[in-house]
């Protein structure tokens, strides 16, 4: 290989974008053609394990000496259900199987959020407009300031405590994310009546989830009801904190880039790929870490190939890295701890007004996009 | 059924009632009771029809006969109807239609399907080569209007060719089980004696029932059939002179069916001819030229295929299908294709013609396509 020149989003030529697009497309097509029995077996085994953990966890919670094991098992079950199974199935990673129970259209997960709303905010908005300001609602969830290009407001002084709150009640935040509460509470672009209507299906789902975890299973436990109630609180909390941490690590470490809206005008396939690449970060870990994070530890691969079964990302990663090296593009990764630290540092810094904040001028859009924004602060 | 049946029955209906209760549904929310129970009992389902393969035999070199035990959701069939059988091949579910060939009065509760293994046939070849006893398969309830009428016609003529024998075999076996008094003629065509499915059963039935007339026609010479060569008026005049009085049920290869239909139409007795097609006319795949039409079944609309993506075409037809990215990422536009082939605009790959879920924003119809939209 020749000497590697460092490239940025704005330094790449159209020909380079096209080449990168073709190289990623080739990986994607090869993977899709290879899908089969192995992938079907993988996801079904994962589901079987999740069911085993769930049933074992719920039973053990009713038996005092093994209560802690019960809480642990149900936490694992909920994490598997939401991440390696729910998130991935709802991405359509297993649609090709033609199995209605593994189809993105039908799948519902063990979370307060309705699959329908989640697929809009996540599959469509977040994955299509990844890290594009004002388009990707996952940038701060309408709650936090995650970029210098978000104008500072006094409410952002609470960036840190709000992040803690977001981790704690993650499933419920995600559930109301599609309602865009800030449009009612702060910007007044949505009426309370509209909000009420949109909340109906969400409340229906929440109610069922609450009834199951906090009424029916405790009742079933008779005298152990309070312990089962508490156990379910803890299992939900464990899943909330873990899921939120994994997701934050995927997009908010300090060197991950954000983009102004202008980049998506007439964006080519190659540019889309590069934006996904620059807007995501991985974290390293063992097999268990990858499974428990729904393979979102390979956030970069996931954003490049959102509908390829996630257990394949580990196989693709070396090739993706090679393409990055070849074109002088960064492949951002680090340990779970370092990525978490970096994310919290960014959140802390952005709670304060920064000198360089303000609008991205459209003409400067490309240059600006190429600079890691948080570091510019 | 054995003597333990009443007890098992009591237990299983009790369990079933518990599992279909609202409490069970809430406890198993959001996945549903089936998604837990199927890990112990793969054929169990509260609503879906599933079956286990209990026996497999090979009547001829290019066919397979499967015996299936359906779960309790199976509501039975009328002789002549078909089921949609779903099998998983290399991780992908494939659905094809097969007509049960057994009598509707069979007391063992089993379904018998016979599939001819077509040379390039994806599912039929799999059934013949790889299907194992003990496999769980998916079934639909029986469908189709090709069936014996509730009031049995007294004079019945059954005409079949090749694998088209299956639905009329069900009719013959059903009528015989009912002790049907009227005359039944079974006219069957195949290439050679060694290729004929249900040959032994047919001979046995004809020997046992004096009102059953069996006529076998072989295309190849010296096969020992009652008739030789392809279907023609001479066969009818010689062997079934009263064919015009009969209710006739026909199923076979396209060429043969056309010949029979023509004759019945010419004589003005088409009202007495009932038929079942196993295959549509083969589609010529020409992905460059937009041909055929797009059928939207749920909204009952039809549009001429203009070569654009199915999402664009659906919208142009005034429908509002769900969509998001319009570039194949989000799967918001996924929708069920019930028939026809589509080309993936990203890979150029052409789908098979069976039922499957497709992303309509990146699918272009190749010929006529039917969408559940
Ligand atoms: C109502 C109905 C009932 C049916 N009942 C039976 C039955 O009882 N037994 C049975 O064997 N089949 C039956 N069929 C046909 C069956 O559903 C499949 O079409 C057949 O098994 C071929 O599927 P495949 O996946 O193997 O072939 P595909 O992979 O779908 O097709 C591959 C090739 O085989 C050719 N081909 C497909 N079907 C046929 C056919 N029927 N005749 C000739 N060439 C064909 C195609 O032109 C193509 O070139 C029935 C069909 C219908 C619509
Ligand atoms: S609209 Fe997003 S995949 Fe079709």
């Amino acid at each position: 290989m020749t000497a590697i020149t460092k490239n940025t989003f704005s330094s790449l030529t159209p020909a380079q974008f096209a080449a990168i697009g073709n190289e990623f497309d080739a990986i994607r097509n090869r993977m899709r053609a290879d899908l089969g029995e192995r992938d079907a077996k993988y996801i079904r085994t994962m589901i079987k394990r999740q069911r085993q953990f769930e049933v074992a966890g719920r039973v053990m919670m009713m038996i005092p000496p093994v209560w802690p094991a019960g809480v642990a098992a149900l936490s694992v079950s909920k994490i598997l259900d939401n991440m390696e199974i729910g998130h991935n199935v709802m991405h359509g990673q297993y649609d090709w199987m033609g199995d209605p129970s593994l189809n993105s259209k039908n799948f519902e997960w063990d979370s307060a959020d309705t699959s329908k709303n989640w697929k809009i905010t996540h599959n469509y908005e977040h994955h299509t407009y990844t890290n594009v300001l004002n388009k990707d609602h996952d940038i701060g969830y309408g709650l936090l300031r995650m970029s210098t290009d978000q104008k500072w407001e006094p409410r952002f002084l609470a960036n840190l405590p709000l992040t803690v709150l977001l981790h704690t009640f993650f499933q419920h935040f995600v559930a109301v994310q599609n309602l865009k509460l800030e449009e009612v509470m702060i910007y007044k672009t949505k009426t309370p009546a509209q909000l009420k209507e949109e909340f109906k299906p969400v409340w229906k789902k929440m109610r069922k989830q609450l009834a199951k975890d906090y009424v029916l299973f405790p009742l079933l436990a008779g005298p152990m009801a309070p312990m089962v109630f508490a156990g379910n609180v803890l299992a939900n909390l464990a899943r909330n904190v873990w899921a939120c941490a994994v997701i934050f690590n995927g997009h908010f470490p300090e060197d991950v880039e954000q983009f102004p809206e202008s980049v998506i005008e007439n964006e080519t396939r190659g540019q889309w790929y590069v934006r996904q690449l620059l807007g995501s970060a991985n974290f390293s870990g063992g097999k268990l870490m990858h499974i428990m994070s729904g393979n979102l530890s390979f956030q970069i691969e996931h954003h490049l190939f959102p509908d390829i079964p996630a257990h394949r990302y580990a196989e693709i990663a070396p090739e993706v890295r090679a393409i990055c090296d070849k074109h002088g593009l960064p492949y951002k990764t680090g340990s779970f701890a370092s990525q978490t630290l970096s994310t919290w540092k960014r959140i802390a810094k952005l709670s304060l007004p920064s000198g360089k904040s303000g609008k991205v001028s459209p003409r400067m859009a490309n240059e600006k996009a190429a600079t890691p924004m948080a570091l510019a602060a | 059924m054995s003597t333990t049946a009443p007890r098992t029955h009591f237990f299983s209906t009790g369990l079933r009632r518990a599992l279909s209760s609202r409490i069970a549904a809430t406890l198993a929310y959001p996945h549903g009771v089936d998604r837990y129970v199927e890990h112990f009992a793969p054929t169990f389902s509260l609503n879906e029809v599933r079956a286990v393969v209990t026996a497999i035999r090979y009547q001829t070199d290019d066919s397979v006969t499967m015996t299936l035990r359906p779960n309790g959701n199976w509501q039975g069939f009328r002789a002549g109807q078909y089921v949609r059988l779903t099998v998983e091949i290399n991780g992908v579910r494939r659905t094809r239609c097969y007509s049960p060939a057994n009598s509707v009065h069979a007391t063992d509760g089993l379904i018998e399907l016979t599939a001819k293994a077509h040379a390039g046939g994806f599912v039929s070849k799999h059934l013949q080569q790889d299907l194992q006893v003990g496999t769980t398969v998916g079934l639909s309830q029986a469908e189709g209007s090709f069936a014996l009428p509730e009031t049995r016609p007294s004079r019945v003529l059954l005409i079949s060719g090749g694998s088209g024998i299956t639905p009329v075999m069900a009719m013959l076996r059903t009528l015989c089980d009912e002790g049907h008094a009227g005359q039944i003629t079974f006219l069957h065509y195949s290439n050679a004696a060694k290729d004929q499915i249900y040959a032994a059963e047919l001979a046995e039935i004809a020997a046992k029932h004096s009102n059953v007339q069996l006529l076998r026609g072989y295309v190849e010479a010296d096969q020992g059939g009652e008739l030789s060569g392809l279907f023609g008026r001479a066969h009818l005049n010689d062997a079934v002179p009263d064919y015009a009085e009969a209710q006739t049920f026909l199923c076979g290869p396209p060429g043969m069916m056309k010949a029979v239909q023509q004759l019945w139409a010419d004589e003005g007795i088409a009202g007495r001819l009932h038929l079942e097609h196993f295959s549509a006319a083969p589609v010529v795949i020409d992905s460059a030229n937009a041909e055929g039409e797009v059928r939207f079944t749920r909204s009952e609309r039809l549009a001429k295929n203009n070569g654009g993506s199915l999402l664009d075409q659906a919208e142009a037809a005034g429908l509002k299908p769900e969509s998001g990215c319009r570039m194949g990422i989000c799967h918001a536009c996924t929708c069920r294709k019930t028939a026809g082939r589509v080309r993936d605009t990203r890979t150029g790959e052409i789908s098979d013609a069976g039922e499957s879920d497709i992303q309509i924003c990146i699918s272009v119809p190749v010929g006529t396509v039917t969408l559940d939209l």
Side-chain angles (χ1 to χ4, degrees):
Chain A
M1 218 190 287
T2 48
I4 297 160
T5 47
K6 281 265 164 281
N7 266 318
T8 60
F9 195 88
S10 51
S11 71
L12 289 169
T13 64
Q16 278 171 311
F17 274 121
I20 294 168
N22 288 340
E23 283 164 44
F24 283 135
D25 271 344
I27 297 182
R28 185 178 184 286
N29 292 344
R30 205 183 64 231
M31 280 290 147
R32 280 218 75 93
D34 188 49
L35 297 181
E37 187 76 40
R38 170 156 81 101
D39 307 88
K41 229 182 212 146
Y42 177 84
I43 192 65
R44 293 218 172 98
T45 307
M46 212 39 80
I47 287 173
K48 191 165 188 169
R49 296 282 169 272
Q50 183 269 319
R51 304 287 195 260
Q52 288 165 335
F53 272 112
E54 179 177 0
V55 173
R58 295 205 186 269
V59 171
M60 284 194 289
M61 253 188 227
M62 298 181 188
I63 307 163
V66 290
W67 182 84
V71 175
L74 190 62
S75 305
V76 170
S77 148
K78 282 181 180 275
I79 288 170
L80 286 178
D81 179 283
N82 285 186
M83 315 217 33
E84 185 66 338
I85 302 167
H87 168 267
N88 292 337
V89 168
M90 287 193 287
H91 257 294
Q93 292 180 1
Y94 298 93
D95 279 6
W96 54 271
M97 288 174 63
D99 179 343
S101 72
L102 291 174
N103 191 287
S104 59
K105 269 253 143 36
N106 309 332
F107 196 89
E108 238 341 311
W109 55 356
D110 183 8
S111 161
D113 192 14
T114 65
S115 58
K116 188 163 182 270
N117 279 347
W118 183 81
K119 282 182 283 187
I120 298 170
T121 37
H122 183 86
N123 280 10
Y124 168 44
E125 295 180 2
H126 169 59
H127 272 272
T128 312
Y129 303 121
T130 308
N131 282 23
V132 173
L133 293 163
N134 301 327
K135 282 284 206 178
D136 181 359
H137 199 258
D138 276 17
I139 304 183
Y141 295 84
L143 192 69
L144 309 175
R145 183 168 182 249
M146 299 304 281
S147 156
T148 45
D149 292 311
Q150 252 170 306
K151 198 168 164 324
W152 188 85
E153 297 167 37
R155 67 180 175 116
F156 292 130
L157 282 171
N159 241 14
L160 277 176
L162 281 177
T163 306
V164 174
L165 209 67
L166 186 64
H167 278 70
T168 312
F169 296 101
F170 190 61
Q171 68 160 334
H172 290 100
F173 269 109
V174 172
V176 295
Q177 187 188 4
N178 198 49
L179 306 177
K180 317 251 157 83
L181 288 184
E182 72 278 8
E183 292 180 3
V184 182
M185 285 152 49
I186 298 160
Y187 305 114
K188 316 275 181 216
T189 50
K190 187 190 275 184
T191 67
Q194 265 174 309
L195 181 69
K196 203 170 150 208
E197 203 45 44
E198 290 175 16
F199 186 59
K200 272 186 195 158
V202 180
W203 174 235
K204 196 170 157 209
K205 171 96 198 268
M206 281 185 183
R207 213 170 47 209
K208 284 188 178 168
Q209 289 289 107
L210 294 170
K212 171 181 72 168
D213 279 349
Y214 299 124
V215 181
L216 217 52
F217 273 111
L219 278 180
L220 217 59
M224 278 297 287
M227 294 300 278
V228 167
F229 185 94
N232 285 346
V233 170
L234 286 180
N236 277 320
L237 179 68
R239 181 272 322 274
N240 282 353
V241 171
W242 176 248
C244 189
V246 166
I247 290 159
F248 271 50
N249 278 0
H251 293 296
F252 306 135
E254 290 180 286
D255 54 354
V256 172
E257 294 170 34
Q258 289 162 343
F259 302 88
E261 264 180 88
S262 53
V263 297
I264 54 177
E265 280 166 32
N266 304 320
E267 191 179 47
T268 65
R269 183 121 183 103
Q271 287 169 329
W272 181 83
Y273 272 126
V274 173
R275 180 160 55 78
Q276 300 302 323
L277 181 74
L278 299 178
S280 311
N282 287 3
F283 54 84
S284 51
K287 192 156 184 217
L288 196 62
M289 172 71 110
H290 295 315
I291 291 175
M292 293 306 281
S293 62
N295 278 294
L296 291 182
S297 40
F298 292 103
Q299 190 73 241
I300 296 175
E301 286 73 14
H302 175 56
H303 265 267
L304 294 171
F305 313 111
D307 62 358
I308 294 288
H311 73 105
R312 296 240 181 185
Y313 295 154
E315 294 164 33
I316 312 176
E319 286 179 67
V320 171
R321 222 178 166 135
I323 293 175
C324 290
D325 288 346
K326 184 172 150 198
H327 296 282
L329 289 167
Y331 182 92
K332 293 157 197 142
T333 184
S335 70
F336 185 82
S338 69
Q339 298 291 57
T340 309
L341 194 69
S342 173
T343 299
W344 284 80
K345 261 164 64 188
R346 175 186 213 156
I347 295 166
K349 276 185 197 166
L350 288 168
S351 63
L352 302 172
S354 57
K356 286 200 179 172
S357 73
K359 290 235 173 71
V360 190
S361 98
R363 249 175 294 119
M364 287 177 46
N366 273 354
E367 269 165 47
K368 188 76 185 172
T371 327
M373 290 178 174
L375 284 182
Chain B
M1 291 265 155
S2 64
T3 47
T4 59
R7 256 177 72 197
T8 340
H9 185 252
F10 178 77
F11 177 72
S12 67
T13 45
L15 186 66
R16 213 185 156 75
R17 202 164 295 160
L19 288 174
S20 42
S21 68
R22 251 187 84 182
I23 294 186
T26 312
L27 293 177
Y29 185 79
H31 302 305
V33 171
D34 281 6
R35 302 279 97 87
Y36 290 83
V37 180
E38 68 192 4
H39 294 282
F40 312 97
T43 46
F44 175 87
S45 169
L46 289 178
N47 305 304
E48 290 166 36
V49 188
R50 296 182 199 169
V52 61
V53 179
T54 57
I56 298 174
R57 64 194 170 99
Y58 304 94
Q59 299 189 45
T60 61
D61 288 347
D62 65 352
S63 76
V64 54
T65 300
M66 306 154 267
T67 310
L68 310 177
R69 178 184 300 290
N71 65 12
N73 299 320
W74 170 247
Q75 292 169 359
F77 70 108
R78 291 167 58 205
Q81 287 190 301
Y82 65 90
V83 292
R84 281 179 286 127
L85 172 78
T86 303
V87 288
E88 196 161 305
I89 307 173
N90 191 22
V92 183
R93 293 206 174 174
R94 310 276 177 175
T95 302
R96 296 288 187 276
C97 302
Y98 294 98
S99 314
N102 53 293
S103 161
V104 302
H105 303 295
T107 51
D108 54 11
L110 302 176
I111 300 172
E112 180 181 290
L113 304 179
T114 294
K116 177 181 153 89
H118 295 281
F122 196 76
V123 173
S124 60
K125 267 274 178 242
H126 166 83
L127 294 175
Q128 188 216 17
Q129 293 179 344
D130 304 319
L131 189 71
Q132 304 286 329
V133 168
T135 306
T136 299
V137 297
L139 288 183
S140 66
Q141 296 290 1
E143 295 170 357
S145 54
F146 183 69
L148 276 180
E150 290 306 333
T151 14
R152 311 302 194 206
S154 60
R155 176 77 178 102
V156 176
L157 170 56
L158 305 171
I159 308 179
S160 59
S163 58
I165 193 173
T166 51
V168 290
M169 192 68 200
M171 292 178 177
L172 178 68
R173 283 167 156 177
T174 298
L175 289 171
C176 288
D177 278 355
E178 290 171 356
H180 186 74
Q183 184 73 17
I184 306 168
T185 300
F186 196 98
L187 174 52
H188 179 71
Y189 291 88
S190 46
N191 287 331
K194 68 169 180 36
D195 295 332
Q196 194 197 327
I197 47 184
Y198 291 113
E201 283 89 342
L202 280 175
E204 200 180 307
I205 289 173
K208 225 164 98 187
H209 298 268
S210 56
N211 60 330
V212 174
Q213 177 195 19
L214 175 62
L215 300 171
R216 288 161 293 194
Y218 297 108
V219 178
E220 289 175 21
D222 305 326
Q223 299 288 317
E226 289 78 10
L227 306 167
S228 64
L230 297 170
F231 169 84
R233 185 179 292 273
H235 284 178
L236 286 179
N237 289 343
D238 292 351
V240 206
D242 63 341
Y243 64 92
E245 270 97 74
Q247 289 295 330
T248 299
F249 298 87
L250 165 71
C251 181
M256 171 199 158
M257 290 188 66
K258 229 171 133 190
V260 176
Q261 269 177 284
Q262 190 62 53
L263 195 147
W264 256 253
D266 289 348
E267 309 222 339
I269 50 173
R272 261 168 260 167
L273 180 66
H274 314 274
L275 41 92
E276 179 79 301
H277 289 279
F278 274 9
S279 59
V283 258
V284 187
I285 298 172
D286 178 3
S287 45
N289 295 317
E291 278 180 6
E293 57 199 24
V294 189
R295 301 173 181 168
F296 304 101
T297 46
R298 220 178 317 152
S299 44
E300 297 180 350
R301 284 197 211 186
L302 193 83
K304 220 175 118 33
N305 172 19
N306 67 14
S309 79
L310 279 167
L311 177 58
D312 288 338
Q313 300 206 43
E315 286 170 346
L319 308 185
K320 291 209 163 44
E322 270 179 60
S323 70
C325 66
R326 309 183 77 96
M327 58 189 284
I329 303 162
C330 72
H331 288 248
C333 65
T334 300
C335 124
R336 191 106 185 131
K337 163 177 78 69
T338 51
R341 295 177 196 270
V342 294
R343 183 165 43 85
D344 184 322
T345 54
R346 295 168 304 177
T347 59
E349 198 184 321
I350 289 173
S351 76
D352 83 13
E355 262 189 57
S356 64
D357 289 315
I358 56 167
Q359 289 161 271
I360 56 175
C361 69
I362 45 123
S363 297
V364 171
V366 179
T368 293
V369 167
T370 311
L371 287 182
D372 180 26
L373 200 76

